[in-house]
Amino acid sequence: MDSQGQVEPRVVWAVVESGIGPLLLAASRDGLVNVVFHATDAVRDRAVERLASRFGTEPVEAPGAPLLAEAIRQVEAYFAGRRRDFDLPLDWSLISGFNREVLRELATGVPYGTVVGYGDLAGRVGQPGAAQAVGTAMGANPLPVVVPCHRVVESGGGIGGFGGGLETKRKLLALEGVLPEPLF
């Protein structure tokens, strides 16, 4: 319950503008649980429906909820170039097993402005040779940007894939100084 004796919603969400378009941020009582790219009305509605199904309760739009407000503040600071790391509690309940292990390593072991190869990341979690499985984990990342799957690239120098689209990945890597800013 909150300070007025009201039951707090189990999942809250908001859409925030960013340098890569609108992002839906969702938080549970345990932490930030989901970040969704290109959060137009239709994408937002599908994401909220998936969260409702997963959590068994209707998510509530509440950008002022404390955890969500802090996540919004940090995301805005990141895109403004004033923040390099996110300091938020994360709810990992939307991912499990190998994928969770890989994403946790990514979140703690690949700092701002650096990249790692899919195979290198597989080796870091004790699964050398599992580069393709790492790619699958990146595609399943429920917390992109905050858990920086854009920092994972091909070992031969290619940019690799990205759930938010390759242009979005390029913009994020340019923001972090890994790639040059696009000319236009």
Side-chain angles (χ1 to χ4, degrees), residues 62-131:
L67 181 63
L68 203 50
E70 180 58 19
I72 291 168
R73 188 185 70 71
Q74 289 189 28
V75 165
E76 288 174 342
Y78 170 82
F79 282 103
R82 296 187 316 268
R83 176 173 277 281
R84 292 176 164 229
D85 300 305
F86 293 95
D87 184 21
L88 298 165
L90 302 178
D91 177 342
W92 294 95
S93 65
L94 295 180
I95 197 140
S96 61
F98 176 79
N99 291 354
R100 183 188 291 189
E101 185 179 357
V102 168
L103 291 171
R104 283 180 180 260
E105 172 59 29
L106 175 63
T108 59
V110 183
Y112 183 97
T114 66
V115 294
V116 65
Y118 292 94
D120 293 335
L121 191 53
R124 289 185 187 193
V125 296
Q127 298 291 325

Side-chain angles (χ1 to χ4, degrees), residues 11-25:
V11 179
V12 292
W13 64 272
V15 173
V16 62
E17 285 301 320
S18 75
I20 55 171
L23 296 174
L24 179 136
L25 305 178

Side-chain angles (χ1 to χ4, degrees), residues 121-141:
L121 191 53
R124 289 185 187 193
V125 296
Q127 298 291 325
Q132 197 166 19
V134 167
T136 300
M138 296 305 103
N141 182 3

